[in-house]
Amino acid sequence: MGENEETWHPVVRAMREISYFILKSTETLDISQIESLIDLLYKAYIEKRKVLVMGAGRSGLVGRAFAMRLLHLGFNSYVLGDTIVPSISKGDLAIAISGSGRTQLIVTAAEAAKKVGAIVVAITTYPDSPLGALADLVVWVPGRAKSSRMDDFFARQILGIHEPLAPLGTLFEDTTAVFLDGVIYALMLRLGANEEDLKSRHANIEL
Amino acid sequence: MGENEETWHPVVRAMREISYFILKSTETLDISQIESLIDLLYKAYIEKRKVLVMGAGRSGLVGRAFAMRLLHLGFNSYVLGDTIVPSISKGDLAIAISGSGRTQLIVTAAEAAKKVGAIVVAITTYPDSPLGALADLVVWVPGRAKSSRMDDFFARQILGIHEPLAPLGTLFEDTTAVFLDGVIYALMLRLGANEEDLKSRHANIEL
Amino acid sequence: MGENEETWHPVVRAMREISYFILKSTETLDISQIESLIDLLYKAYIEKRKVLVMGAGRSGLVGRAFAMRLLHLGFNSYVLGDTIVPSISKGDLAIAISGSGRTQLIVTAAEAAKKVGAIVVAITTYPDSPLGALADLVVWVPGRAKSSRMDDFFARQILGIHEPLAPLGTLFEDTTAVFLDGVIYALMLRLGANEEDLKSRHANIEL
Amino acid sequence: MGENEETWHPVVRAMREISYFILKSTETLDISQIESLIDLLYKAYIEKRKVLVMGAGRSGLVGRAFAMRLLHLGFNSYVLGDTIVPSISKGDLAIAISGSGRTQLIVTAAEAAKKVGAIVVAITTYPDSPLGALADLVVWVPGRAKSSRMDDFFARQILGIHEPLAPLGTLFEDTTAVFLDGVIYALMLRLGANEEDLKSRHANIEL
């Protein structure tokens, strides 16, 4: 990064912090976890299983963006909180997103998914959290949990900036958003799907 | 970037493409547009105006994530599509997000906002679009519109990759998400708000 | 009704007004319109067509409640405003709910549905409205439109009460809710579905 | 009711069943519970407290319709599941709607509301349920819970019909919808608000 970052516009400074965090995160992800996630998703696609994405607050929005793309790929994807949510059962996939792994309603929902026999995937920064503990697969994504008091790593270590450029769960949420878009790309390769395939399933009347 | 990107895992390749796109986008943003946006938001905060965020599909989700943080900062922010949406009127702020600037329901909603006297901000890749044309302020954010057939710029120019690593509106959506998180940081500075202030307004019961 | 309605608790008075309005509405519905609606829905079920329900505000909530029951009956039902909304095309069914038939975003959405070849059903009090005019089938449901200044009919004529017991679109919304539950019952008979069938498709993890 | 109900159209038969159920329910409601609810709401209005409405599935939609009208009356009302949900605290009002009183996420959410010191109101058919047990005020509304196997009361006793005309939670949901519209009318009287007041706060851009 340049030597004059203190003179950058604050918007640029924060964008650089966040995008650099995401870029660096690719060196720390656990590829075997990612492969397991893709295998589970691929299996759900082939077997026409349901995929129920669950998350609260901004993590929920990230999950919704992922579920939309799964729909575009031809998955039977659903989102906790939508009007249209079917019953799920043994062999279906429940993907729960929570930076802290402690968001109460998501832990409760993941427990319910587990109880009906769904395969539960936790996307979290804290594998030892309640959500991580109950999941069949944990996919680790770096970030600061909303409750963490630790300073932003890259701001401190790399930019030498000691202020929170990305408050609360922002780093986890933005990294997870880009990570899940990466998973979509990997699924496109696996399924042999191209952009036109996605476009054909994109809502033509939407809000 | 390394010289062995072809050997990277596809998830990593796409994440690098996207985060690198966001990083590079900071060099192309129009700072005066951003300053105007922050001024409008600051004025809305001081005058306790309503801020109504509008977007369809994944752009709508990006807008929702932004509106949540505005709430955490103490704004009267709302989202088109939520149950709770108040009447807006002259002097309120309507922020419409659409990569193409042509999403039908968003253009219709922005016209309605304009008609009641709200200040309309368009966040779009296409300033010449119907949405850009009617807006009081256009904030340009790079991306490929869903309808564009142009190859991903960085994939082609920088990574030398000729496949779409980020299908449809992904680059616009992810860049806008990080851009709006940058705007949140700039507003924190302007308002003298710290992370604890945001946390205190964060939902304690949420889905 | 009793002769002492002025002494009833206001909640009871309004509930009686509304439920009596619904009860009386059954004498004024056009059975041939209802049969056409059920035929279209039955055809959509048999041909596995998509059914997209569209409505704004409280009419939208009534539509969502209907779409949920369609899901429980085994329909491919969707709701404008949900995260998961697929592309619709020729032969699919779009059901638009608007008391006034003039709600801007719903008229725009219905036009879009028409353009892609979907069969558009309007549920409205005003068949001559823009929504009614463009629909392939109009199903009339009585109510006061939000914009009407006419006094509540039953309050005035039958209860002799001259105050608005059910403000704005309330009578239309509640009557349509019960009407659509009636349509669900008719579909249960037509499809030979019983309560257990519905229960088996009811979300087991929901908010 | 007429003597030829077997010849009525099924839609009419179900509508009569439901509206008659609502009409009769007004004789069984506990007026002191209703007065307590209105007092709590009035106090929340005067003290500018937040009112958070919570419900899952169709009960959640009924709650959303109520929260919209509260907004039109000038309340600070919110809905669990909306994007914009503020933090709530001691003295705020949480209204949880569940026919069975056992809907898992709603019980969890109500417990969380209780923990932060909010006043919890349960609207339910089962006062002895987990939700009823933890609530500060229970408001009883008749209905069949989704899980009940009991036949529809009025269908059996009054119409002599032995089929379920209103499957699953329909009777509770529709009765609660009309009941809460009755509460809105009572609040209009208490606050001296008329229809124009509500209209002025109604969303002018909505979906």
Side-chain angles (χ1 to χ4, degrees):
Chain A
M1 313 293 279
E3 53 216 287
N4 57 340
E5 49 272 10
E6 291 295 345
T7 68
W8 287 337
H9 190 280
V11 169
V12 168
R13 224 187 308 156
M15 289 181 75
R16 287 189 158 261
E17 157 84 1
I18 295 166
S19 52
Y20 197 62
F21 184 94
I22 300 169
L23 201 54
K24 296 299 288 182
S25 78
T26 62
E27 298 169 12
T28 63
L29 294 173
D30 181 329
I31 300 294
S32 73
Q33 289 175 350
I34 297 174
E35 278 297 305
S36 298
L37 172 60
I38 293 167
D39 286 346
L40 285 174
L41 282 162
Y42 181 73
K43 194 161 174 287
Y45 178 87
I46 294 300
E47 298 179 357
K48 299 187 186 306
R49 294 287 185 188
K50 293 164 194 155
V51 180
L52 178 61
V53 182
M54 321 191 293
R58 286 172 45 117
S59 291
L61 298 171
V62 165
R64 285 169 183 264
F66 180 55
M68 272 191 199
R69 281 285 185 264
L70 290 179
L71 173 77
H72 300 161
L73 279 169
F75 279 78
N76 294 322
S77 57
Y78 300 94
V79 168
L80 183 62
D82 254 17
T83 299
I84 298 300
V85 181
S87 174
I88 67 165
S89 55
K90 194 168 158 49
D92 289 332
L93 201 54
I95 299 180
I97 305 172
S98 167
S100 69
R102 302 186 169 280
T103 312
Q104 196 160 25
L105 290 186
I106 298 309
V107 173
T108 301
E111 281 168 353
K114 185 104 182 169
K115 199 181 275 178
V116 300
I119 301 162
V120 175
V121 176
I123 299 181
T124 183
T125 305
Y126 293 93
D128 296 335
S129 62
L131 182 62
L134 72 82
D136 296 293
L137 171 67
V138 170
V139 179
W140 180 79
V141 172
R144 282 191 319 145
K146 195 164 63 244
S147 51
S148 163
R149 295 179 164 279
M150 195 179 61
D151 284 349
D152 290 9
F153 179 75
F154 291 101
R156 275 207 355 207
Q157 301 288 315
I158 292 164
L159 301 181
I161 293 171
H162 291 268
E163 35 173 351
L165 291 160
L168 304 175
T170 300
L171 290 179
F172 172 76
E173 294 143 13
D174 290 347
T175 303
T176 301
V178 173
F179 165 66
L180 292 173
D181 278 335
V183 171
I184 292 297
Y185 173 61
L187 287 169
M188 288 173 73
L189 294 184
R190 181 79 78 95
L191 301 174
N194 62 34
E195 200 169 22
E196 286 305 310
D197 298 323
L198 275 78
K199 204 176 190 165
S200 70
R201 294 194 197 88
H202 193 287
N204 43 12
I205 306 170
E206 68 166 353
L207 186 81
Chain B
M1 315 291 279
E3 51 216 287
N4 57 339
E5 48 273 9
E6 291 294 346
T7 68
W8 287 337
H9 190 279
V11 169
V12 168
R13 225 188 306 158
M15 289 181 75
R16 286 188 159 262
E17 158 83 1
I18 295 167
S19 52
Y20 198 62
F21 185 94
I22 300 169
L23 200 54
K24 295 300 286 182
S25 78
T26 62
E27 298 169 12
T28 63
L29 295 172
D30 181 329
I31 299 294
S32 72
Q33 289 175 350
I34 296 173
E35 278 296 304
S36 298
L37 172 60
I38 292 167
D39 286 346
L40 285 174
L41 282 162
Y42 181 73
K43 193 161 174 286
Y45 178 87
I46 294 299
E47 298 179 358
K48 299 188 187 305
R49 293 287 186 189
K50 292 164 195 156
V51 180
L52 178 60
V53 182
M54 320 191 294
R58 286 174 43 119
S59 292
L61 297 172
V62 165
R64 285 169 183 262
F66 180 54
M68 271 190 202
R69 281 284 185 264
L70 290 179
L71 172 77
H72 300 163
L73 279 169
F75 280 78
N76 294 322
S77 57
Y78 300 94
V79 168
L80 182 62
D82 254 17
T83 300
I84 298 300
V85 181
S87 173
I88 67 165
S89 56
K90 194 166 158 51
D92 290 331
L93 200 55
I95 301 180
I97 305 172
S98 168
S100 69
R102 301 185 170 280
T103 312
Q104 196 159 24
L105 291 187
I106 298 309
V107 173
T108 301
E111 281 168 352
K114 185 107 184 168
K115 198 180 275 177
V116 299
I119 302 162
V120 175
V121 177
I123 299 182
T124 182
T125 305
Y126 293 92
D128 295 336
S129 62
L131 181 62
L134 71 83
D136 296 292
L137 171 66
V138 170
V139 180
W140 179 80
V141 173
R144 282 190 321 146
K146 194 164 67 246
S147 51
S148 163
R149 295 181 166 276
M150 196 179 62
D151 285 349
D152 291 7
F153 179 76
F154 290 100
R156 275 207 355 206
Q157 301 288 315
I158 292 164
L159 301 181
I161 293 171
H162 290 269
E163 34 173 351
L165 290 160
L168 305 174
T170 300
L171 290 178
F172 172 76
E173 293 143 13
D174 289 346
T175 304
T176 301
V178 173
F179 165 67
L180 291 173
D181 278 334
V183 171
I184 292 297
Y185 173 61
L187 287 169
M188 286 173 74
L189 294 183
R190 181 79 78 95
L191 301 174
N194 62 33
E195 200 170 22
E196 287 304 311
D197 298 323
L198 275 78
K199 203 175 189 166
S200 71
R201 294 194 197 88
H202 192 288
N204 42 13
I205 306 171
E206 69 167 351
L207 186 79
Chain C
M1 314 290 280
E3 52 217 288
N4 57 338
E5 48 272 10
E6 290 296 345
T7 68
W8 289 337
H9 190 279
V11 169
V12 168
R13 225 188 306 158
M15 289 182 74
R16 286 189 158 261
E17 157 84 2
I18 296 167
S19 52
Y20 197 62
F21 184 94
I22 300 168
L23 200 56
K24 295 299 287 182
S25 78
T26 61
E27 299 169 12
T28 64
L29 295 173
D30 181 329
I31 299 294
S32 73
Q33 290 175 349
I34 296 174
E35 277 296 304
S36 297
L37 172 61
I38 291 167
D39 286 347
L40 285 173
L41 283 163
Y42 181 73
K43 194 160 172 288
Y45 177 88
I46 295 299
E47 298 179 357
K48 298 188 187 307
R49 294 286 185 190
K50 292 164 196 155
V51 180
L52 178 61
V53 181
M54 322 191 292
R58 287 173 43 118
S59 292
L61 297 172
V62 166
R64 285 169 183 262
F66 180 55
M68 271 191 200
R69 281 283 185 264
L70 290 179
L71 173 78
H72 300 162
L73 279 170
F75 280 78
N76 294 321
S77 57
Y78 301 95
V79 167
L80 183 62
D82 253 16
T83 300
I84 297 301
V85 182
S87 173
I88 66 165
S89 56
K90 193 168 158 51
D92 290 331
L93 201 54
I95 300 179
I97 305 173
S98 168
S100 70
R102 302 186 168 280
T103 312
Q104 195 160 25
L105 290 186
I106 297 310
V107 173
T108 302
E111 281 168 352
K114 185 107 184 168
K115 200 181 274 176
V116 300
I119 302 161
V120 175
V121 176
I123 298 181
T124 182
T125 305
Y126 293 93
D128 295 335
S129 62
L131 181 63
L134 72 83
D136 296 292
L137 171 67
V138 170
V139 179
W140 179 78
V141 172
R144 281 190 322 147
K146 196 163 63 244
S147 51
S148 162
R149 294 180 165 278
M150 195 180 62
D151 285 349
D152 291 8
F153 180 76
F154 291 101
R156 276 208 353 207
Q157 301 288 316
I158 293 163
L159 301 182
I161 293 170
H162 290 269
E163 34 173 351
L165 292 161
L168 305 174
T170 300
L171 290 178
F172 173 75
E173 294 144 11
D174 290 347
T175 304
T176 301
V178 173
F179 165 66
L180 292 173
D181 279 334
V183 171
I184 292 298
Y185 173 62
L187 287 169
M188 287 174 73
L189 294 184
R190 181 79 79 97
L191 301 174
N194 62 34
E195 200 170 22
E196 286 304 310
D197 298 322
L198 275 77
K199 203 175 190 167
S200 70
R201 295 194 197 86
H202 193 286
N204 43 12
I205 306 170
E206 69 167 352
L207 187 79
Chain D
M1 315 289 280
E3 52 216 286
N4 57 339
E5 47 273 9
E6 291 296 345
T7 69
W8 287 337
H9 190 279
V11 169
V12 169
R13 226 187 306 158
M15 289 182 74
R16 286 189 158 260
E17 157 85 1
I18 295 167
S19 52
Y20 197 62
F21 184 95
I22 300 170
L23 200 55
K24 294 300 287 181
S25 78
T26 61
E27 299 170 13
T28 63
L29 295 172
D30 181 329
I31 299 294
S32 72
Q33 290 176 349
I34 296 174
E35 277 297 304
S36 298
L37 172 60
I38 292 167
D39 286 346
L40 285 175
L41 282 163
Y42 181 72
K43 193 160 174 285
Y45 178 87
I46 294 300
E47 298 179 358
K48 297 187 188 306
R49 295 286 185 188
K50 293 164 195 156
V51 180
L52 178 60
V53 182
M54 322 191 292
R58 287 172 45 118
S59 292
L61 297 171
V62 165
R64 285 169 182 263
F66 180 56
M68 273 192 199
R69 281 285 184 262
L70 290 179
L71 172 78
H72 300 162
L73 279 170
F75 280 78
N76 294 322
S77 58
Y78 300 94
V79 168
L80 182 63
D82 253 17
T83 299
I84 297 301
V85 181
S87 173
I88 67 166
S89 55
K90 193 167 158 53
D92 289 332
L93 200 54
I95 300 179
I97 304 172
S98 168
S100 70
R102 303 185 168 281
T103 312
Q104 195 159 26
L105 291 185
I106 297 311
V107 174
T108 301
E111 282 167 352
K114 185 107 184 167
K115 200 182 275 178
V116 300
I119 302 161
V120 175
V121 176
I123 299 181
T124 182
T125 305
Y126 293 94
D128 295 336
S129 62
L131 181 63
L134 72 83
D136 296 293
L137 171 67
V138 170
V139 179
W140 179 80
V141 172
R144 282 191 321 147
K146 196 162 65 245
S147 51
S148 163
R149 293 179 167 278
M150 196 179 62
D151 285 348
D152 290 7
F153 179 76
F154 290 101
R156 274 208 355 206
Q157 300 288 316
I158 293 163
L159 300 181
I161 293 172
H162 290 269
E163 33 172 352
L165 291 160
L168 304 175
T170 300
L171 290 179
F172 173 76
E173 294 144 12
D174 289 348
T175 304
T176 301
V178 173
F179 165 66
L180 292 172
D181 278 335
V183 171
I184 291 298
Y185 173 61
L187 287 169
M188 288 174 72
L189 294 185
R190 182 79 78 97
L191 301 174
N194 62 33
E195 200 169 22
E196 286 306 308
D197 298 322
L198 275 78
K199 204 176 188 165
S200 70
R201 295 193 197 89
H202 192 287
N204 42 13
I205 306 170
E206 68 166 354
L207 186 80

